[in-house]
Amino acid sequence: MFALVDVNNMYCSVERVFDPRLEGRPLVVLSSNDGACIARSNEAKDLGVQMAQPWFQVRHLQKTHGLIALSANFELYSDMSARMMAIASRYSPNVVPYSIDEAFIDFHGIHGDLTAQSRHLRTTVLQELGLPTSVGIAPTKTLAKLANHIAKTCDRKPGHYPQALSHRLAQVCNTTDLTATELEALMSATDVGDVWGVGRKIAAKLHAGGVRTVLDLMRADMATLRRQFSVVFEKTVLELRGTPCMEVEEAPAAKQQILVSRSFGKPVTQVDGIVEAVSEFASRASEKLRLQGSVAGALQVFIRTSPFREGDRQHSPSMTVPMRPTADSRKIVQAACDAARSMFRPGFNYAKAGVMLMDLREAQAIGDQGELDLGGSDGGESAPEPDRPALMAAMDELNRRFGRGAVRVGSTASALAADSGGASWSVRQDRRTPRYTTRWEELPVVRA
DNA sequence: TCTGGGGTCCTAGGACCC
DNA sequence: TCTGGGGTCCTAGGACCC
């Protein structure tokens, strides 16, 4: 058995913990550059604000309906997320975080009333963190996700499902507590698009074929589905029918790629601005790489103009650069900047750039390859600059203690830009709340 | 004026090999 | 007129997730 626990409207709920005045009011949290809505309170959803909707399209609701918008405060959300995961871990030795606001709890081998334990978990998170959660419990992960969705819907739209069920399943839904008839009633009132793994495209295709509800999908002909869709989707359907197809992970897997990308606060037209940004992203990506104990064998750099500015000429090149596996910021930054410089063309309004580290492997696996290269050099080339793991470790520790950016790779333009008061590409974040739980100088103040 | 930033997995098609 | 077939590896792109 699996449970999926997630925080309702996570970012909005966290903001409300620290500012109770936001309670009951329509609230959205915005992406970087305050560009789009990435979290919505129930009240904001009721106003019709869509997920990822551009802020400029709903800004007028501030005046007419009291809509409040905050810039995303990821440092705060990550910390609250870690606390939530820690509480979940009291209920099973195997809790696998799935995203910042949700985790799968492996209940295999856990005895007793799982519904009651899940309700207890909910209450504990609410008491200790002030965050509202929902829990879905089922024999497969896909069903647990769906049960979670049903638990939320029962809570938020009591009229959507038969009333007796709605009342029972609000906040916590365990599919094994249900009779076959009750399960059918729920599945026939749930759209296929609400299933984990069914996105816009697949939902449209299913609808066109007359498969509208989850019950339709559970009863659809497997051979036909397999012909029309991929093996991924086949697994989804099998899971809906109760056959587990997704493994129980023991430990969170190391990332296979690390991406740092950002839209710019305003268009960048000069090569220096692009290089500054790419240098910064490469540097951040290198830190993440070392944090998970990996080295990268290749990196990809992309820069792109805005597809939304239809009058602009578009240019969106990307370049992949193989490297001798390394986690050394100096080398990664150098390679990324060289790539960015060679792709840049004057006369374009660049809107975004990114650096992706690929071909990741464990740091130990490469051993003393540096020395190997020295021995095998064919005479003509000069020896490659060796990696400096101790230097990188010292840099990471200083940045951890004194804040990101305290120590940087000095050869790059971003260091200069930071000194001269902010780079031309830097993001806008006008509405961010304090990082209450992770910065001493931003601790909340209680007045007697 | 203004449109997120991460990730995963699978598939199709080309290059290359025998 | 007519130009194999099967395998592997790699990359780009598409679907999905939050």
Side-chain angles (χ1 to χ4, degrees), chain A residues 275-312:
Chain A
V275 172
E276 274 171 32
V278 164
S279 152
E280 179 68 23
F281 302 162
S283 185
R284 279 288 302 139
S286 307
E287 283 172 32
K288 291 185 180 184
L289 183 69
R290 291 192 293 271
L291 195 64
Q292 74 163 27
S294 299
V295 292
L299 67 76
Q300 186 177 70
V301 180
F302 67 84
I303 60 180
R304 84 172 44 135
T305 49
S306 170
F308 297 108
R309 295 169 65 122
E310 291 179 6
D312 277 14

Side-chain angles (χ1 to χ4, degrees), chain A residues 59 83 92 110 124 142 176 214 362 399 438:
Chain A
R59 201 167 40 189
R83 293 167 195 248
S92 162
I110 307 283
T124 306
T142 303
T176 61
V214 179
E362 276 183 55
N399 281 330
T438 54

Side-chain angles (χ1 to χ4, degrees), chain A residues 143-174:
Chain A
L143 279 172
K145 282 283 277 187
L146 194 62
N148 178 282
H149 171 81
I150 290 170
K152 272 210 200 67
T153 306
C154 288
D155 195 42
R156 220 171 95 61
K157 301 176 185 164
H160 187 86
Y161 295 115
Q163 197 173 1
L165 281 175
S166 258
H167 189 69
R168 238 170 77 203
L169 303 178
Q171 300 161 352
V172 176
C173 171
N174 183 344

Side-chain angles (χ1 to χ4, degrees), chain A residues 295 324-325 361-372 387 389:
Chain A
V295 292
R324 198 165 56 83
R361 50 194 99 169
E362 276 183 55
Q364 281 84 1
I366 61 160
D368 291 324
Q369 210 171 340
E371 290 177 29
L372 220 70
D387 283 359

